[in-house]
Amino acid sequence: MTDPNVPLLPTHIQAAAGIVLNEHGELLLVKTYRNGWVMPGGIVEEGETLLEGLQREIKEETGILADVEVLYCLSSNVTSHPGYNGVKRVPTKVISDFICRYRSGIPRPSSENSQTAWVALEEAQEKITAEPFKSRFECYLAYQGRPFYLAYGTVPEFQLLTKQLV
């Protein structure tokens, strides 16, 4: 039982995702079991830097080694919700989205996704339909040297609260 007189520090998940581009200008996407086609990424683990975590997630999910280059979007998912797979509660999240360059590897699926593919920009626009991934991808499309900041909630449904350049 938590003592109500002892203050608790807020808890956030730190996550990162990447727009990985190959030499043909194609984007690397993964087809997840829950959200359809999205950019590869995930939770940064304790002891990892943000960039190390992103590179690990891209490699784990796709088999691709990528170099992280530019931050194009920083997001806050301000809602918490009941968990799954034994997790009682999923806390709020801070997500950093980066533009990355393909270094090596052959795309392959993983335990987290059913497909991994290089797709043309136009095809990616059609494939990424689930929020908040769609809003974050739109920030990539609109990126002109200054990153975007998004604040949104996802429970009970997606609601964009803030979108601004920072």
Side-chain angles (χ1 to χ4, degrees), residues 11-18 34 39-58 60-61 77 81 84-85 87 89-97 112 133 136:
T11 303
H12 299 283
I13 292 174
Q14 176 63 61
R34 295 181 57 221
M39 303 81 77
I43 296 172
V44 177
E45 295 177 357
E46 189 173 339
E48 283 183 321
T49 69
L50 188 59
L51 304 185
E52 289 168 344
L54 176 55
Q55 288 175 312
R56 176 190 48 76
E57 284 287 345
I58 292 169
E60 285 178 3
E61 291 181 7
N77 179 349
H81 57 85
Y84 48 90
N85 294 340
V87 174
R89 189 132 198 94
V90 176
T92 58
K93 296 180 186 84
V94 176
I95 304 105
S96 302
D97 290 300
E112 297 179 42
F133 303 98
R136 291 169 34 219

Side-chain angles (χ1 to χ4, degrees), residues 19 21 51 54 66-72 98-102:
I19 294 287
L21 301 166
L51 304 185
L54 176 55
D67 295 315
V68 180
E69 294 188 339
V70 177
L71 175 72
Y72 74 88
F98 293 90
I99 300 169
C100 305
R101 287 280 164 220
Y102 166 80

Side-chain angles (χ1 to χ4, degrees), residues 20 41 48 51 62 69 80 98 114 133 144 150:
V20 181
E48 283 183 321
L51 304 185
T62 70
E69 294 188 339
S80 178
F98 293 90
S114 61
F133 303 98
Q144 293 185 1
L150 302 179

Side-chain angles (χ1 to χ4, degrees), residues 110-131:
S110 74
S111 62
E112 297 179 42
N113 60 72
S114 61
Q115 296 178 49
T116 299
W118 292 110
V119 299
L121 183 64
E122 299 78 24
E123 187 180 353
Q125 288 176 274
E126 294 171 12
K127 286 185 176 288
I128 301 172
T129 58
E131 292 290 4

Side-chain angles (χ1 to χ4, degrees), residues 3 17 35 54 59 63 71 75 93 107 127 138 146:
D3 183 346
N35 296 308
L54 176 55
K59 175 79 165 117
L71 175 72
S75 303
K93 296 180 186 84
K127 286 185 176 288
E138 288 170 355
R146 286 182 61 194

